[in-house]
Amino acid sequence: MSETIENFLHEERIFMPPAEFAARARITREEYDARYRRSLDDPQGFWSDVARELHWFRPWSTVLDWQEPHARWFVDGQTNIAYNALDRHLNERGDKTAIVWEGEDGEVRRLTYRDLHAQVCQLANALTSLGVQTGERVTIYLPLVPEALISMLACARIGAVHSVVFGGFSAAALSERLNDAGSKVLITADGGLRRGSAVPLKANADEALQQAPAVQHVVVLKRTGQDVSIQAGRDRWWHELTGSQSAQHEALALDSEHPLFILYTSGSTGKPKGVLHTTGGYMVANYLSTGTVFDLREDDLFWCSADIGWVTGHSYVAYGPLLNGASVFLYEGAPNYPDMGRFWQMIERHRVSILYTAPTAIRAFMRAGNDWPARSDLSSLRLLGSVGEPINPEAWVWYHDVIGQGRCPVIDTWWQTETGSIMLTTFPGAHPSKPGSAGLPMFGVEVAIVDQDGRELGPNEGGLLVLKRPWPSMLRTVYGDDERYRKSYWGEIPHVYFAGDGARRDEDGYVTVVGRIDDVLNVSGHRLGTMEVESALVAHPAVAEAAVVGRPDALKGEGIVAFVTLQQGAEVNTDELRTHVAREIGAIARPDEIRIAEALPKTRSGKIMRRLLRQIASGQETTGDTSTLEDAGVLEQLRRL
Ligand code: 6R9
């Protein structure tokens, strides 16, 4: 990490917004300043004005009720996010393209707002026919196909709370999430295409369902046509279930604080947290951020390459763009299939104008060389965004020069599953960009860099990133564990939201986020708890103890290194352990390296000294205090591994 920080500190290049872009930008410098000031001085007025651009079945009485750490936004208001994302557009934009989808096999589908509305209504009616009630949870385990968005919107329409589980997660991860949410309905598919082969989603789901007895109904989308087993009475084909349903459905008027979705994310303990978002605030914040940060225009084709299983897919593939009546591009498969030119060919083919992707992808494309993008016409692009992890300046500049051809501003947006929408960014037509630095606070966001005691630090001092006031799209709780919510987010430092990231802010107010300061890894932009990987490892019969740390990785941001000790007399091959972790959690959690050790470095009180393991894993000298180490000989042995 220190190498990365050095690199950030020495980056001094500044990129001004291109004049042509700035001239017609939705948010100019003056507008940003004025609106940002108003959002802090008069939050009620500011947020009311934004919310009034959307449809409410009943207006709110109070904009914010804040009983720390619980916020209620647009109190007493009634709305429906699916109504705002679909019905609201039908008169003016019924024939406008809502979704252009490309399957990995090259199949293309287009849905207008009217088509999307009709299909969402049919599924909403179908879910109701299965007995799904308002407030009940529905788990979605699908590939990135239009039906993933249709499922989310159908749930939102009837007030069912969706819990999307990334299609790359294992059966075990799925059953854990099904059980935690208490879902009675699962929506899945026979499979999805990834790198030319079919991912066995239904088979995984069947395995998961053996451990999730509460699930009564499974809706199965036919995507690949691969063989699957259908359990009579429980499993129904999507097309059979929805085909006979009416394409009319009246969206329910839901309380502004009605739960919209649960999304599981990693924390510093073993069990993933079910981050809960509610309706009104999430809707208003995403409507605003998508429209303004991405300078969205009627004729844009917006491509956020995230999977629907992550928050970026929720906010900037599905809800934000559709709330703005935008056309969204979706791609099902792997970025390097059949080759490293796939992204650029699709941008040319569909005339994508805004691309929002992750640093890991950018670094992989950069490594593959400039020939790939050079073969495609990228002139439709006008804005580029980055999200998910710190972007190193080299990758930023490459993205700007080679993909954006110097013409497109690049924005680096910092936010989290918990924040629901973008919290830090530059506005592309308003602010100069500094590669590696996310930038300035979004409207309504008050950011600070503090020390462990909550004291605010000065310019360029590294500290903890906190947010000083509630914002509309903030998580409301950890599903089923409010205590964990209080402790993790509002209990670390009094009266502020603790993000878990380290950061510093420069003289111009630009915030650079350097990475997690807790036991959470960021591997290719995906959050993974070290404890989750450790739990998976110790579940293997040969493993006695495990300690997992991150190590800087030029491509993935962070790689996973596991140190394990074995049970007495046990023998195991490290590849088997790596595969075991992938099977337990999903391929994203597969350790890059496993080192079998005789013992782990522990303090006298039995705590594993991860700092030392991190240093050993990245080949550094072990430094700092080792006086609390129980057995100094352990270090010697580890270094030799
Ligand atoms: C949206 C999303 C959140 C964590 C966050 C931070 C890292 C995200 C970043 C960034 C530096 C950026 N992160 N964006 N770090 N610069 N622009 O990624 O949500 O999956 O919950 O991850 O990702 O560490 O705390 P999520």
Side-chain angles (χ1 to χ4, degrees), residues 62-244:
T62 312
V63 171
L64 169 65
D65 169 34
W66 177 230
Q67 314 274 339
E68 190 192 310
H70 293 115
R72 293 193 301 150
W73 283 87
F74 308 107
V75 182
D76 299 327
Q78 287 185 349
T79 188
N80 187 297
I81 193 169
Y83 182 96
N84 276 291
L86 300 169
D87 306 51
R88 196 171 70 89
H89 304 304
L90 290 182
N91 282 338
E92 267 178 51
R93 302 189 179 97
D95 295 322
K96 178 174 174 174
T97 299
I99 295 176
V100 185
W101 171 82
E102 188 168 314
E104 201 188 60
D105 52 2
E107 181 188 347
V108 173
R109 279 168 64 192
R110 266 171 237 283
L111 281 83
T112 63
Y113 269 91
R114 209 180 310 287
D115 300 333
L116 184 60
H117 176 261
Q119 296 192 30
V120 169
C121 286
Q122 285 188 306
L123 183 63
N125 285 322
L127 292 175
T128 305
S129 78
L130 293 178
V132 177
Q133 304 279 319
T134 300
E136 287 184 355
R137 279 77 54 211
V138 170
T139 296
I140 299 171
Y141 184 61
L142 286 173
L144 192 44
V145 289
E147 285 80 3
L149 275 65
I150 292 169
S151 301
M152 293 162 73
L153 291 160
C155 287
R157 229 178 150 79
I158 62 172
V161 185
H162 59 72
S163 163
V164 181
V165 177
F166 173 51
F169 275 132
S170 67
L174 175 60
S175 64
E176 181 177 14
R177 286 158 177 76
L178 280 165
N179 290 328
D180 188 84
S183 291
K184 286 191 236 158
V185 175
L186 170 67
I187 304 178
T188 187
D190 48 0
L193 296 182
R194 191 83 187 169
R195 281 195 193 89
S197 48
V199 180
L201 290 174
K202 177 61 165 66
N204 289 350
D206 287 338
E207 193 186 330
L209 289 168
Q210 289 174 8
Q211 311 298 327
V215 176
Q216 295 164 359
H217 301 286
V218 181
V219 181
V220 188
L221 176 76
K222 195 172 246 170
R223 157 68 189 117
T224 57
Q226 71 207 84
D227 275 344
V228 293
S229 74
I230 293 290
Q231 186 178 309
R234 186 193 70 182
D235 303 351
R236 311 280 292 269
W237 285 109
W238 172 301
H239 57 275
E240 287 174 6
L241 184 67
T242 59
S244 56

Side-chain angles (χ1 to χ4, degrees), residues 3 27 29 173 240 267 284 299 350 370 450 481 528 601 639:
E3 203 173 286
I27 302 289
R29 181 86 202 215
E240 287 174 6
V284 171
D299 57 354
H350 302 289
N370 297 0
V450 301
D481 195 352
L528 266 181
R639 274 199 214 98

Side-chain angles (χ1 to χ4, degrees), residues 265 311-312 386-391 412-418 438 499 501 513 515-516 522 525 527:
T265 190
V311 75
T312 308
S386 172
V387 60
E389 44 176 323
I391 181 164
D412 173 6
T413 62
W414 174 87
W415 57 292
Q416 308 177 296
T417 305
E418 294 87 341
D501 278 316
V513 180
R516 303 288 307 188
N522 193 326
R527 270 167 74 169

Side-chain angles (χ1 to χ4, degrees), residues 601-609 625-632:
K602 290 191 187 159
T603 61
R604 277 172 247 271
S605 59
K607 273 191 138 186
I608 294 172
M609 296 183 77
D625 186 17
T626 53
S627 61
T628 54
L629 198 64
E630 184 198 32
D631 174 3

